[in-house]
Amino acid sequence: MKETYYNREDLGKFGKITEFQQELGDKFFDYYGSVFAPGALTAREKSLIALAVAHAIQCPYCIDAYTSDGLKKGVDEEQMMEAIHVAAAIRGGASLVHGVQMMNQVKNKMM
């Protein structure tokens, strides 16, 4: 297998981030657990959102984790891909909308 910067086995070490800072790590995991508990959104919906965000921020660990989690929660591949397209559209739109800043600068400098 080709060596990469990201090591799949490191995902399983996520719970050990408390090792160097127990108090803050524990607070993070308390928060994380609360965020993903069912509320106004189901755990399934939250998993799908997390998968889309994982692609937007390009976190391979998160992509692996929330692909597996989504499958366990009944999310199918079509739903996953549609969520990824939503993330891609938002990310692309965010790049394009910043073009307004360029347009404003061009207009100001040419007037």
Side-chain angles (χ1 to χ4, degrees):
M1 182 174 200
K2 188 176 179 183
E3 186 177 329
T4 66
Y5 182 77
Y6 292 101
N7 183 343
R8 283 184 173 276
E9 289 77 36
D10 285 344
L11 179 57
K13 299 174 188 173
F14 184 40
K16 295 181 181 181
I17 64 164
T18 60
E19 186 178 332
F20 290 174
Q21 216 318 326
Q22 187 72 43
E23 180 184 358
L24 294 176
D26 288 345
K27 286 179 182 184
F28 171 78
F29 281 118
D30 287 345
Y31 170 73
Y32 194 88
S34 295
V35 165
F36 283 94
L41 298 171
T42 66
R44 182 183 180 280
E45 291 167 329
K46 290 179 180 189
S47 183
L48 194 54
I49 291 167
L51 180 65
V53 171
H55 281 79
I57 64 169
Q58 299 177 325
C59 174
Y61 299 119
C62 302
I63 292 167
D64 285 357
Y66 286 100
T67 297
S68 295
D69 189 64
L71 288 169
K72 289 176 191 167
K73 289 182 168 72
V75 179
D76 67 31
E77 61 272 12
E78 185 177 9
Q79 293 167 324
M80 289 183 189
M81 189 55 74
E82 190 169 326
I84 293 165
H85 278 282
V86 170
I90 295 300
R91 189 165 185 179
S95 295
L96 288 171
V97 75
H98 280 85
V100 173
Q101 291 178 310
M102 175 274 299
M103 294 165 66
N104 290 338
Q105 287 297 312
V106 168
K107 289 175 183 176
N108 286 338
K109 291 181 186 318
M110 296 187 88
M111 293 185 159

